[in-house]
Amino acid sequence: MPVTRFTITKPPPRPLSAAETAAKYKLPRAEAEAVTQYVARDILPVRSTPSGRFVGRSKAKRKVAAKRAR
Amino acid sequence: VNRADVFINLRFDRRGEGLYLALIAGLVGLGLNPRCVLEVPRSRDRLHRIFDLIRGCAYSIHDLSCVSLATAGPFRVPRFNMPFELGLAVALTLAQQERPSRPVHEWAVFECRPYRLVHSLSDLNGYDQYTHGGTPAGILEVLGDLFHRLPSPPLRDAGDLMKVYRHLRRFRREALRADVFAARPFGQLVVAAREYALLV
């Protein structure tokens, strides 16, 4: 079935930043920062720290990396 | 009216969680702001607030794929909230079309199977339904199609939107509590999707 797309008569404004998004959705600053930190940690590849810990990505991926290192 | 706000109307339960996350990931990836009834507190004037929320959005998306007979509870009735909110959006558009100087609210109906809408809501015969097959990938595909005319969105490629969705799904699993269908987790998901959309 062919579909009708939205006409978009006026382009939307530029996308909000994460801080502006948090304010729009009435998210407390501490919670918004926790989300930002989680994402920053998650998006990085898994790497080992000098202390032997694995950081970054998901818990599952950290477990896999630790197992491989053993 | 905020030209970047999109009202999303779908079933808020575990079965619809994948579609909920895909809608958030897709809309944020396209540079838009998903809005939904979860932001509206439960109070006596809830209906007014829902209508105001829809009126403040340039677009609305109504996923009727999960409208079915209840399997639990004393009555085997479908939930009418979603078709009801679609009705509000359609009424808003019809009223605005009488005054062409004002921007007109645009709405779209999502379904999981082709021609299901023809049987469930024949008043909308002649209007297109967007069929997503009940999958997050399908949702992202139809979102890309629906907003095809958006000038220079941050992400357009379905593969990039899928990456945002996958990250968001992991964020939901690892960082949020069991219930994601509330105002706070909804805001957290939108902020996380915004961050992921910048980084993928």
Side-chain angles (χ1 to χ4, degrees):
Chain A
M1 185 185 282
V3 290
T4 316
R5 292 161 174 164
F6 282 159
T7 33
I8 325 257
T9 45
K10 275 187 189 171
R14 64 163 181 82
L16 301 177
S17 67
E20 288 167 333
T21 306
K24 186 178 177 82
Y25 292 89
K26 299 185 179 79
L27 208 60
R29 186 178 287 180
E31 276 181 31
E33 276 172 13
V35 172
T36 303
Q37 281 170 12
Y38 176 93
V39 172
R41 210 172 51 235
D42 181 40
I43 212 85
L44 288 171
V46 176
R47 64 199 189 286
S48 59
T49 60
S51 62
R53 278 181 63 233
F54 286 88
V55 293
R57 292 281 182 177
S58 65
K59 193 176 174 183
K61 292 204 175 183
R62 286 197 298 273
K63 270 188 182 171
V64 170
K67 206 180 250 181
R68 277 200 193 129
R70 262 187 253 133
Chain B
V1 175
N2 189 323
R3 305 297 311 162
D5 282 7
V6 183
F7 180 78
I8 57 170
N9 172 20
L10 71 160
R11 183 169 171 157
F12 298 113
D13 71 6
R14 202 140 174 89
R15 273 199 299 163
E17 195 177 298
L19 307 183
Y20 170 68
L21 295 180
L23 272 173
I24 295 173
L27 290 172
V28 172
L30 290 166
L32 302 164
N33 309 319
R35 309 299 306 270
C36 73
V37 290
L38 298 174
E39 299 175 69
V40 179
R42 294 196 178 276
S43 61
R44 274 183 71 186
D45 62 344
R46 183 172 162 83
L47 191 54
H48 275 110
R49 287 174 186 231
I50 291 172
F51 186 67
D52 284 344
L53 187 60
I54 296 172
R55 195 164 48 182
C57 296
Y59 313 100
S60 59
I61 290 170
H62 307 266
D63 178 45
L64 303 188
S65 63
C66 290
V67 176
S68 57
L69 289 177
T71 51
F75 302 107
R76 290 201 69 217
V77 291
R79 297 271 294 170
F80 288 122
N81 288 345
M82 288 172 285
F84 185 78
E85 285 159 20
L86 166 63
L88 291 178
V90 173
L92 176 65
T93 303
L94 293 175
Q96 286 174 340
Q97 278 171 343
E98 290 173 7
R99 284 181 288 175
S101 59
R102 295 183 64 182
V104 174
H105 178 86
E106 295 190 75
W107 53 269
V109 180
F110 283 15
E111 260 295 357
C112 58
R113 286 160 54 191
Y115 305 106
R116 188 171 182 256
L117 188 68
V118 175
H119 295 276
S120 65
L121 194 51
S122 58
D123 281 356
L124 290 186
N125 282 1
Y127 292 89
D128 302 320
Q129 75 162 50
Y130 280 78
T131 310
H132 54 64
T135 65
I139 286 273
L140 297 175
E141 196 179 313
V142 293
L143 276 182
D145 195 20
L146 188 60
F147 288 100
H148 182 75
R149 295 197 179 112
L150 262 187
S152 57
L155 301 175
R156 191 187 284 283
D157 183 59
D160 288 337
L161 296 178
M162 197 63 191
K163 277 185 199 165
V164 177
Y165 164 73
R166 290 201 182 109
H167 279 298
L168 193 65
R169 193 177 54 183
R170 195 165 61 228
F171 170 79
R172 183 266 172 274
R173 212 168 41 226
E174 293 188 357
L176 298 181
R177 292 169 293 119
D179 183 22
V180 286
F181 301 113
R184 218 156 126 192
F186 177 64
Q188 288 172 311
L189 284 167
V190 177
V191 172
R194 186 79 71 204
E195 295 276 18
Y196 283 126
L198 288 172
L199 297 169
V200 295

